[in-house]
Amino acid sequence: MASSAVADSFQTREDAKKQKALQEARAAGTAAPETDEFTGKMINPHNPEFITKAPWYLNQDKPSLKHHQAWNAKSMGTRDWYIRGTKGDVKTKFIKGACENCGATTHTKKDCVERPRAVTAKQNGKNLMPDEYIMELNLDYDGKRDRWNGFQPDDYKQVIEEWERVEAERRRVKAAEMEERAKLKERLKAQKRLLKKKRKQRRRQLRRQAEGKEDDTDTGDSDTGDSDTDTDTDSDSEASDDEDLGEKLKDFDKSTSTVAAKDDKLRTTTRNLRIREDTAKYLLNLDVNSAFYDPKSRSMRQDPLAHLKDEEKGTTFRGDNFLRQSGDSKALTELMCFAWDSYKHGEKIHDTAQPTQALKMFEVYKNRATNLKEQQQKELLDKYGGEEHMEAPRELIFSQNENYVEYARDGRVLKGSERALTKSKYEEDVLIGNHSSTWGSWFDAATGRWGFACCHQCMKNSYCVPIQKAELEAGAEPEDEGPGPEPAEPAEPAALGDAATSAVQPGEAASAPSKLSEMRTSAFGHVLEEAEDLDEKKLADAVQQAKKKQKLERKEGRMTLDDERNRPYNSLAGEALAGEISPEEYEAYRLTRQRADDPMAKFL
């Protein structure tokens, strides 16, 4: 095939010259251009040869540009849609292979969408349904993805006509309401004119009776004199209309529709509009048990964030009731009530028509009430005296209250309301393992370490063993065992923690538990304040030592109250005098300590 194509394409020199001359003539326009054999269109003579000439392996002898078209090109698709409401042929006789239920030949009984018949079409051959009109659409890319493909604009005319009917009915109702309002206004004006006329006649009759001229006819002067009354009455009617309009405008928040004003061009819409950047009321708290939100009036009267503190709420929405009682709304309500009460008592005042006058009168009323109260108080003081007792000292004012609370010596509340404990951000009352108390509820003064109050263990990961079992396992010695070595004498007097110089002997600690280990329910970890049997000699010695220590501190200027407060938290843990405190030493500290926070200390 290739050899034959090469042989056919061979040209002599003369043929090549003629072909070249013909090409030049076609480019110059003196000869007719070539025509495509397949499409019948003219081939541009200015095209290069590599475009016009087909490859040799296509065996294309005639001039054509068909070799530029894609060999696998598909036919153009369509964007048509299925024809609606079209039916196929109507059968008069049941055909074999048709649907046994309805008789159509385009589907079977399994795919039939007609209601199942009691007597099928195959049995009686009656009421045969026509065939479906089946179309096979070769949709293109856009036709498959066009969501409006097959849309018929004529179907939307029904929606437009329905909206037009609704709009026409709305306009008719509005025109009827305006006409009814105009008739009502005219009727009210006519009633007011009639009432005005009756009042004029009554005044004229009373004037004639007073002058003794009951039979005289009305003079022109009387008509002229009453002309001002007519004008005033007209103005009063206009004012009353304004008042009626104001009453309508006051109730604008009871409905969510547009409220008509006196002028049809002016309208007042509902005030339940919010900035779209603000968070909606019903999204502030998604709890179903929180404040109720009324979607019809768009109101939430209660506080949706009632469980938060004021500093946490910030400037967020706190309910409609809070808005009505905050800001200038309360003052405006008081002004409105004052205007109503004054109007009832005969004062010509209106908070909406004349707000400046109403506010001025309200200020005068409040100043008058305040001055009257101050005047009465001054008269009482002038008559009975006692002005020097009106202002009590600040120490007494801030130190006294009506709450009865009974305290123990160590500061515990024995009777009355408990102190409010300060909350922290850390977890509290967390029990570890099988312990019945929290870590850090007990402090070992001898070693300066924290532990558990239930077992006196100072290791956090230890297993809880009650104190009684721990003593039995340790092999506590009997009570009749001889005492150990005597305690050493104190080297230097100290206050509270430093005053205890005698350490408990090991034998005595094992045989008879001290008061510190019996019951540790005090705020300071001991029960020394409950000791009743005190040794007078030891108590006197402890008081004398405490006074000597205070005198020495004042003389040398060391360990003042500020120094004691700024001392490190656990600075006494490593001291040698960190033993247990005797009841006598605690009583001496309580008797000699300075109470700088006592509000009555300056009066002693």
Side-chain angles (χ1 to χ4, degrees), residues 6 18 41 107 165 177 190 227 237 268 297 327 330 336-337 419 519 521 548:
V6 173
K18 292 180 181 180
K41 297 181 180 179
H107 63 269
R165 289 194 299 269
E177 290 179 356
S227 60
S237 63
T268 303
S297 60
K330 187 175 181 180
M336 190 183 305
C337 295
R419 292 181 178 177
M519 182 175 58
T521 59
K548 287 182 179 179

Side-chain angles (χ1 to χ4, degrees), residues 15-275:
D15 295 338
K17 288 182 179 181
K18 292 180 181 180
Q19 186 69 21
K20 186 177 181 180
L22 182 59
Q23 290 292 341
E24 293 177 355
R26 288 173 178 172
T30 56
E34 290 182 327
T35 304
D36 195 334
E37 296 293 338
F38 295 96
T39 60
K41 297 181 180 179
M42 180 189 68
I43 298 176
N44 190 357
H46 299 281
N47 287 343
E49 185 179 359
F50 68 89
I51 292 179
T52 306
K53 190 175 181 180
W56 60 269
Y57 52 81
L58 294 180
N59 294 327
Q60 186 175 324
D61 301 333
K62 299 179 181 180
S64 176
L65 297 177
K66 183 180 178 181
H67 58 277
H68 287 282
Q69 299 179 0
W71 60 273
N72 57 352
K74 296 182 180 180
S75 59
M76 295 295 293
T78 179
R79 299 185 66 177
D80 297 336
W81 198 246
Y82 301 99
I83 301 176
R84 302 177 182 177
T86 303
K87 297 181 180 180
D89 298 337
V90 180
K91 309 297 182 182
T92 58
K93 183 179 180 181
F94 183 79
I95 301 175
K96 184 178 181 181
C99 179
E100 298 179 359
N101 184 43
C102 64
T105 58
T106 53
H107 63 269
T108 59
K109 182 179 180 181
K110 182 179 180 181
D111 302 330
C112 185
V113 295
E114 295 289 336
R115 179 179 59 85
R117 301 182 184 181
V119 181
T120 60
K122 182 179 180 181
Q123 295 175 354
N124 58 6
K126 296 180 180 179
N127 194 15
L128 302 178
M129 299 302 294
D131 298 340
E132 289 88 356
Y133 185 77
I134 300 176
M135 296 178 59
E136 294 184 0
L137 299 179
N138 185 19
L139 298 176
D140 57 358
Y141 183 87
D142 294 333
K144 291 179 180 179
R145 292 159 180 81
D146 188 5
R147 59 185 300 223
W148 294 101
N149 193 4
F151 172 74
Q152 297 181 0
D154 297 339
D155 297 341
Y156 193 70
K157 289 183 179 180
Q158 299 178 0
V159 180
I160 298 176
E161 292 175 357
E162 181 180 358
W163 279 96
E164 289 179 352
R165 289 194 299 269
V166 171
E167 184 67 17
E169 182 66 18
R170 188 187 66 79
R171 291 178 181 177
R172 188 189 65 79
V173 172
K174 181 180 178 182
E177 290 179 356
M178 294 178 63
E179 185 178 359
E180 185 67 23
R181 193 182 299 113
K183 291 181 180 179
L184 179 61
K185 189 180 294 185
E186 292 295 334
R187 196 180 303 114
L188 292 175
K189 288 183 178 180
Q191 292 177 0
K192 291 177 181 179
R193 291 195 199 98
L194 181 60
L195 182 61
K196 177 193 109 175
K197 187 175 181 181
K198 289 182 180 180
R199 288 177 180 174
K200 288 172 60 178
Q201 292 177 357
R202 180 61 179 170
R203 286 196 296 269
R204 292 173 186 174
Q205 185 178 1
L206 293 176
R207 193 182 304 114
R208 289 196 217 98
Q209 290 178 0
E211 296 176 358
K213 300 180 181 180
E214 297 182 1
D215 299 335
D216 293 346
T217 58
D218 297 339
T219 59
D221 297 338
S222 62
D223 297 338
T224 307
D226 294 336
S227 60
D228 297 337
T229 308
D230 298 342
T231 307
D232 295 340
T233 308
D234 295 338
S235 61
D236 293 341
S237 63
E238 295 293 337
S240 62
D241 293 341
D242 295 341
E243 292 178 0
D244 297 340
L245 178 62
E247 293 296 334
K248 292 181 181 179
L249 293 178
K250 284 181 180 179
D251 299 336
F252 72 96
D253 57 346
K254 296 181 180 179
S255 61
T256 56
S257 59
T258 304
V259 180
K262 185 175 180 181
D263 191 357
D264 296 335
K265 296 181 180 179
L266 302 177
R267 290 181 177 273
T268 303
T269 56
T270 56
R271 67 181 179 90
N272 291 327
L273 299 177
R274 61 179 179 85
I275 303 176

